[in-house]
Amino acid sequence: MSDKVKKMQEIAREILEKGEAKVVIGWEKGTHWYLSPPAFIDKPEEVERLVWDDFCHNNLSKYLKDYVNHEGKVAIFVKGCDSRAFNRLLQDKQIERDKVILIGIPCHGLKDQDKAKELGENADIPKAKKCVECRYPNPLVYDYFIGEEKALDEVAAASEARDFSDVEAIETLSPDEKYEFWNKQYERCLRCYACRNVCPACSCRECIFDQTRVGWIGKANNASENQFFALTRAMHVAGLCIECGECERVCPMNIPIMLLNKKLIKDINLLFGPYDAGVDVDGKLPLGHFDKNDPEEFM
Ligand code: SF4
Ligand code: SF4
Ligand code: SF4
């Protein structure tokens, strides 16, 4: 067991024994060696389930919303992207800071789960794409901190190498080619909503896709309904997406969802200046306030 895991378990045990929180949310080993799903620990004797390894992908801040109406505090482990998601939820007043105990854990960059499954346990498994591009591996907010922050020069190198080339490649296509590209992707969509369910930015109490009686979206699995779903979901997380890549990771049909998210991030940066969601908790949201100097090129 690594020192980090020992420390995780020690902190979780102490929190639960002292009754500082009624549940600690971390990661545990799943049904396969390349899966480390969320763990919800509420007894000190169960902290040994907690792990920290190359597959702790789930963004745990997502689960805080399940506890907003509960008495007492919740403790969660946060890597860089989880902490950005936490800040986003705070900005939207979806959670209260003093009801959460944050245990920060700097992230070494996780491995690609699909490649792990394909290549096997002893292979040299590449990093997940989101982690190669990550610019915030260190938790931005925490009450406890485990280990040492990832060196800032590595983080700066990732910032300089910010890569929108995949988005730019799509931008060069004609409208018909773009339609064909996205139609090919989303004709495979099952509308399982796993991408929505895992997303910490999808935090509406009533989701448009669940309002079946109003009829915003039909049940039919066809190009038109699927594209409506894809575009609406992407627009609803515009300016809120913290680039944790969870939507794309969990998609059973390998739809390149991050391409849509990144397109919106790129456009927001272009129109409103550089912006990283969930970094400055007191900052203004680019799509959340009005400024007379905002471009209005469509009017
Ligand atoms: S996006 Fe960054 S913080 Fe999140 S898992 Fe990857 S390297 Fe870690
Ligand atoms: S996870 Fe993939 S298949 Fe499921 S709704 Fe989202 S895009 Fe469609
Ligand atoms: S849209 Fe995807 S990348 Fe963005 S916050 Fe949601 S799950 Fe993470």
Side-chain angles (χ1 to χ4, degrees):
M1 188 191 298
S2 73
D3 288 347
K4 270 192 184 170
V5 176
K6 269 189 212 153
K7 193 72 191 163
M8 282 172 85
Q9 296 183 356
E10 191 183 303
I11 294 173
R13 186 178 292 109
E14 191 183 314
I15 287 173
L16 289 170
E17 278 175 354
K18 288 185 178 165
E20 289 171 359
K22 58 189 177 135
V23 64
V24 177
I25 311 176
W27 304 270
E28 65 184 333
K29 278 325 286 175
T31 37
H32 298 287
W33 60 271
Y34 50 82
L35 297 176
S36 303
F40 299 81
I41 313 276
D42 57 6
K43 295 182 189 70
E45 58 272 24
E46 287 185 6
V47 297
E48 281 166 22
R49 283 165 48 199
L50 290 168
V51 298
W52 171 248
D53 64 13
D54 292 332
F55 302 102
C56 295
H57 283 283
N58 283 78
N59 195 316
L60 302 181
S61 294
K62 167 81 194 174
Y63 300 99
L64 288 172
K65 282 207 61 217
D66 295 339
Y67 293 90
V68 283
N69 296 321
H70 288 226
E71 289 287 314
K73 293 190 183 190
V74 175
I76 60 163
F77 288 92
V78 285
K79 47 192 188 298
C81 50
D82 307 53
S83 72
R84 287 178 70 186
F86 177 82
N87 279 343
R88 274 295 315 122
L89 290 169
L90 263 190
Q91 271 179 318
D92 284 351
K93 305 201 183 330
Q94 299 256 4
I95 50 173
E96 290 171 41
R97 177 65 183 91
D98 58 9
K99 283 192 77 179
V100 184
I101 301 172
L102 295 164
I103 312 161
I105 185 156
C107 185
H108 54 281
L110 308 182
K111 301 246 163 117
D112 185 316
Q113 219 174 273
D114 291 337
K115 288 277 174 219
K117 186 176 169 187
E118 181 189 319
L119 299 172
E121 204 162 350
N122 298 319
D124 185 14
I125 302 155
K127 265 191 194 179
K129 188 165 176 277
K130 65 179 181 182
C131 299
V132 174
E133 295 179 1
C134 175
R135 291 169 306 123
Y136 297 96
N138 296 318
L140 299 171
V141 55
Y142 51 84
D143 301 303
Y144 292 85
F145 195 85
I146 295 176
E148 287 180 14
E149 293 202 353
K150 187 161 174 170
L152 287 176
D153 52 348
E154 275 183 61
V155 181
S159 295
E160 277 167 28
R162 177 128 221 219
D163 185 9
F164 283 114
S165 57
D166 45 0
V167 176
E168 283 155 5
I170 304 291
E171 285 172 343
T172 59
L173 301 178
S174 69
D176 283 349
E177 287 169 332
K178 281 180 192 157
Y179 181 83
E180 198 184 331
F181 174 84
W182 283 112
N183 195 33
K184 255 195 186 144
Q185 301 301 332
Y186 273 92
E187 71 184 5
R188 294 184 284 120
C189 173
L190 306 169
R191 299 254 301 284
C192 64
Y193 298 154
C195 52
R196 174 200 67 174
N197 295 351
V198 83
C199 173
C202 282
S203 53
C204 300
R205 262 180 224 153
E206 282 184 64
C207 174
I208 180 174
F209 305 124
D210 293 333
Q211 295 179 31
T212 45
R213 287 176 66 193
V214 185
W216 295 113
I217 188 168
K219 285 189 175 173
N221 188 282
N222 57 35
S224 138
E225 303 283 9
N226 290 1
Q227 285 174 25
F228 175 76
F229 164 68
L231 289 172
T232 307
R233 192 211 62 85
M235 286 299 186
H236 281 196
V237 297
L240 312 177
C241 169
I242 47 88
E243 302 174 72
C244 65
E246 278 297 276
C247 46
E248 189 170 294
R249 179 183 70 88
V250 300
C251 176
M253 303 312 288
N254 293 323
I255 294 172
I257 302 171
M258 284 305 289
L259 254 184
L260 275 179
N261 297 336
K262 279 177 76 179
K263 167 65 178 160
L264 289 166
I265 289 167
K266 181 172 178 281
D267 286 356
I268 287 170
N269 285 354
L270 190 73
L271 292 168
F272 303 103
Y275 180 72
D276 285 328
V279 172
D280 176 7
V281 78
D282 299 316
K284 287 181 180 167
L285 297 169
L287 304 182
H289 77 280
F290 171 74
D291 186 327
K292 280 202 282 190
N293 297 320
D294 282 347
E296 292 185 23
E297 57 194 27
F298 56 93
M299 292 182 82

